[in-house]
Amino acid sequence: MFNVRKLAWVGFAFMLTGTALVAVMIILNEASVLYTFYPPLAAHPFFYVGLVLLVLGIWACCFGVFINYSHWRKAHRGQPTPLLAFFAMGVFVLWFFASIGITIEVLTLIPWSMGLVETTNVMVGRTLFWWFGHSLVNIWYLVAASVWYVVVPKLIGGRHFNEKLIKLVVILLVILNIPGGFHHQIVDPGISLSIKYLHVFMSLAIAVPSLMTAFAMFAVFERAGRRLGGKGLLGWLKKLPWGDVRFLAPMIAMIAFIPGGAGGIVNTSNQLNQVIHNTLWVVGHFHVTVGMSVVMTFFGICYWLVPYLAKRRLTAKMNRLGVIQTIIWTVGMVLMAGSQHAAGLLGDPRRTSFTTYGDHSTALSWIPYEYVMGMGAVLLLIGVLIQVYAVFHMMFFAPKGETEFPVAEAEDGAAPAPMWTERWGLWIVLLLMVVAMAYVVPIMDFILNAPPGSPPIKTW
Amino acid sequence: MEQARTEPIRQTSKKALGINQKDAKVSLSYLTVAFVSLLIGGILGLLQGLERSGLLELPTGVNGTWHFITRCFFHYFYDWLSVCCSFAFFRGPVV
Ligand code: HEM
Ligand SMILES: [Cu+2]
């Protein structure tokens, strides 16, 4: 029998080596390709080798979980997988298929960056990058959503929502996800209008499971709040444990997904994207979505997961520090993301250094917003310092003891999810069909009607 | 609600979830890398934020690299933490 834990360690070693190699190449200024490392910008071949190692590490973890899953299914015939494990399975399936795009991209860039081939097809590279890049943000989101659905209800003394609906959300997010990558290329040349039109719909399709999430979560809150004696239209809100950081942080994260999702719909609409593309608006968008919805959930997780894993306890004092951290982070992110959205609407470009473009009046109008952004950044660093302190304190110094792994249960008498939800083979086939539908035509088009390829370009 | 802050969450279920100590070590190792990355990313991020606001000047040449490495370290944070959590979330209920 395969040792799954060993695979997780193999993954750790590969990921760590890859991470280190990538970081070293950037620090040596041998990888000035920006975070979106698609061509024509080229890095040192070792940068790409580091990325390959990172992906191999992820795959080791994926296979570990897949093997584990199949063992579990064999040993528990006729039983649906526990919810949290079902989410984790979705996360790793998405990791695996998302990373195929980046693997193909990177493997074609290695010989190009070494000078073995002269040119590369830029559109193919960008498309494969976003196949991965878009799915990656949804991987983080799915991890966060698993906590919203399964952990948060337990923390507020409630039950989780209908298991079948939750599993359906996971399945939809996994199947529909990858082609969303095209919404990062709305202003790219070389993609036909009909394909772009198709992808506006593909992107908006993700809104369906997101709205299902919003509805389900608020139903859970209201039910729990009313059970605790909340009266009237909104009285149940007051009954929620706002002073408990394990709840407060993911709750603010969920609320942030409302402007985050709305901003996403702006981004993915053809005409509106022309206004905000490559401006600070996009940076504001991902500070709300990643910086709040995802990261605050991850922070909230730490306050039970770290003590749980380290066999320690969350103290009232640490909880208080966590609440303060959450407030600082929220204020910091609101200042940061709010000013970035506003500056972006005024045309302030992203991915640049400070400049006034020769004191042009438009550029001068951005400056007040940029100051606010700087203030946000100061608060956020304070937030990071507190959070890092909290995590290492809980890992090594908090009082010893047992902490519960909080997993909500179903409502009394609720039906378990039907067994068809476990048909991962079928979900993967559907995922591949959706990918084929989205990618075969445009990629063939990029290759058959390719413009001249690009040599490697280094800007600095 | 008051008690939720300090006391363990009310256990309504008999079947407590468990993750074994060896798995816990795996997850904690991933988590450690994630938070070291967050710390590095946070410091670089503040300097970048101040630079972008015109409040601080970074040496030319370092500048572009700075933007990139900041974001990379933040990414390491999300990626390592999502693997850590998913692994723990999988092994916790299943094994
Ligand atoms: C309703 C959901 C969402 C939609 C429709 C959406 C849509 C978009 C679009 C169209 C862009 C590209 C904007 C441009 O460059 O012109 C974008 C950028 C981005 N989104 Fe979202 N988004 C959504 C949610 C999220 C979530 C949940 C995350 C993270 C967890 C996220 C993270 C990002 C990031 C990191 C970028 C910037 C990528 C880059 O260019 O470097 N988004 N989003
Ligand atoms: Cu996207």
Side-chain angles (χ1 to χ4, degrees):
Chain A
M1 207 155 107
F2 235 89
N3 189 331
V4 171
R5 195 177 315 113
K6 231 174 241 160
L7 273 178
W9 281 120
V10 171
F12 183 82
F14 271 100
M15 282 176 70
L16 195 61
T17 318
T19 299
L21 193 52
V22 166
V24 167
M25 295 324 286
I26 302 169
I27 292 166
L28 294 177
N29 204 27
E30 290 289 346
S32 51
V33 288
L34 305 180
Y35 168 70
T36 47
F37 49 82
Y38 35 62
L41 295 183
H44 191 285
F46 280 164
F47 170 78
Y48 302 114
V49 172
L51 291 173
V52 170
L53 294 177
L54 206 64
V55 170
L56 288 175
I58 299 275
W59 285 359
C61 299
C62 291
F63 288 123
V65 163
F66 299 157
I67 292 166
N68 203 171
Y69 176 80
S70 84
H71 288 164
W72 191 87
R73 287 293 307 284
K74 277 195 201 106
H76 300 79
R77 290 209 186 274
Q79 275 184 43
T81 323
L83 258 180
L84 207 49
F86 192 87
F87 268 99
M89 186 65 188
V91 168
F92 281 110
V93 168
L94 210 46
W95 263 123
F96 183 74
F97 287 98
S99 53
I100 288 181
I102 203 78
T103 308
I104 303 172
E105 185 205 346
V106 165
L107 291 180
T108 61
L109 294 187
I110 290 177
W112 173 72
S113 64
M114 290 167 73
L116 299 177
V117 293
E118 276 176 22
T119 63
T120 193
N121 187 318
V122 170
M123 280 309 293
V124 173
R126 287 174 67 86
T127 304
L128 291 173
F129 177 88
W130 282 121
W131 161 326
F132 168 77
H134 169 76
S135 308
L136 180 61
V137 304
N138 281 277
I139 286 167
W140 308 327
Y141 166 68
L142 198 55
V143 176
S146 69
V147 171
W148 302 351
Y149 271 116
V150 190
V151 174
V152 169
K154 176 79 178 182
L155 296 172
I156 62 178
R159 304 293 179 89
H160 69 64
F161 202 74
N162 180 293
E163 185 177 339
K164 181 164 135 194
L165 177 131
I166 300 179
K167 289 189 171 174
L168 199 60
V169 168
V170 177
I171 294 166
L172 284 175
L173 279 171
V174 170
I175 294 177
L176 293 175
N177 218 301
I178 295 178
F182 275 100
H183 68 206
H184 296 264
Q185 297 179 274
I186 294 175
V187 301
D188 273 22
I191 303 174
S192 73
L193 214 59
S194 49
I195 292 285
K196 284 184 181 171
Y197 196 68
L198 170 76
H199 285 294
V200 168
F201 279 100
M202 294 296 291
S203 269
L204 292 177
I206 296 288
V208 175
S210 306
L211 288 173
M212 284 159 83
T213 302
F215 168 76
M217 289 317 301
F218 277 89
V220 166
F221 295 149
E222 180 174 355
R223 236 180 258 162
R226 289 201 189 281
R227 207 174 277 161
L228 292 170
K231 297 259 169 348
L233 192 59
L234 293 172
W236 51 270
L237 264 175
K238 282 194 233 135
K239 295 288 177 188
L240 299 176
W242 296 100
D244 183 343
V245 62
R246 299 167 306 174
F247 167 76
L248 181 68
M251 183 66 181
I252 296 177
M254 276 183 267
I255 294 170
F257 202 61
I258 299 170
I265 291 171
V266 168
N267 299 348
T268 204
S269 308
N270 194 11
Q271 291 86 339
L272 297 177
N273 186 269
Q274 324 276 322
V275 179
I276 53 82
H277 186 57
N278 274 343
T279 69
L280 273 182
W281 166 286
V282 174
V283 185
H285 164 70
F286 62 71
H287 276 88
V288 174
T289 51
V290 191
M292 294 188 82
S293 293
V294 170
V295 168
M296 293 184 80
T297 306
F298 286 3
F299 286 173
I301 291 171
C302 291
Y303 293 95
W304 54 266
L305 185 62
V306 176
Y308 171 82
L309 294 172
K311 293 217 164 296
R312 290 173 192 275
R313 278 187 303 113
L314 171 66
T315 57
K317 221 165 124 190
M318 184 55 81
N319 180 62
R320 202 169 323 121
L321 187 67
V323 169
I324 294 170
Q325 196 279 346
T326 305
I327 293 168
I328 293 177
W329 192 266
T330 305
V331 176
M333 273 299 171
V334 167
L335 291 179
M336 180 106 173
S339 58
Q340 288 171 335
H341 275 97
L345 285 179
L346 296 174
D348 198 348
R350 67 185 279 218
R351 297 188 174 113
T352 67
S353 298
F354 176 75
T355 165
T356 60
Y357 295 93
D359 287 341
H360 189 283
S361 61
T362 305
L364 294 178
S365 75
W366 304 329
I367 290 179
Y369 298 101
E370 292 173 349
Y371 279 155
V372 178
M373 196 172 88
M375 280 160 54
V378 173
L379 286 177
L380 289 171
L381 181 67
I382 299 173
V384 164
L385 293 177
I386 299 177
Q387 185 67 28
V388 171
Y389 165 80
V391 164
F392 288 109
H393 189 274
M394 287 186 289
M395 213 183 276
F396 298 114
F397 306 108
K400 294 229 181 248
E402 292 290 323
T403 293
E404 193 198 351
F405 195 129
V407 173
E409 286 173 62
E411 294 281 353
D412 295 329
M419 285 309 288
W420 58 256
T421 51
E422 302 286 337
R423 299 188 59 186
W424 283 101
L426 178 61
W427 310 143
I428 290 172
V429 169
L430 289 176
L431 175 153
L432 292 173
M433 280 166 60
V434 170
V435 166
M437 181 181 100
Y439 284 90
V440 170
V441 171
I443 290 196
M444 289 311 287
D445 190 32
F446 296 151
I447 294 174
L448 295 178
N449 301 311
S454 173
I457 289 180
K458 249 191 124 176
T459 46
W460 76 83
Chain B
M1 179 175 77
E2 271 304 308
Q3 100 283 3
R5 292 184 201 170
T6 43
E7 284 170 25
I9 310 142
R10 259 168 300 137
Q11 183 90 46
T12 44
S13 139
K14 306 288 161 292
K15 46 173 203 299
L17 273 179
I19 193 170
N20 75 37
Q21 268 323 94
K22 288 183 177 160
D23 282 345
K25 221 180 203 164
V26 177
S27 283
L28 283 172
S29 309
Y30 277 87
L31 207 123
T32 303
V33 179
F35 277 93
V36 170
S37 304
L38 178 69
L39 181 61
I40 301 174
I43 295 167
L44 297 172
L46 174 64
L47 294 174
Q48 176 183 324
L50 294 180
E51 193 280 337
R52 188 65 178 80
S53 327
L55 296 168
L56 176 95
E57 217 170 306
L58 293 175
T60 2
V62 182
N63 217 341
T65 307
W66 208 278
H67 285 201
F68 183 24
I69 191 96
T70 303
R71 201 147 156 210
C72 262
F73 275 102
F74 280 125
H75 268 267
Y76 294 153
F77 171 65
Y78 319 134
D79 296 346
W80 285 82
L81 203 69
S82 31
V83 174
C84 153
C85 290
S86 307
F87 183 76
F89 293 175
F90 192 83
R91 301 283 277 183
V94 162
V95 174

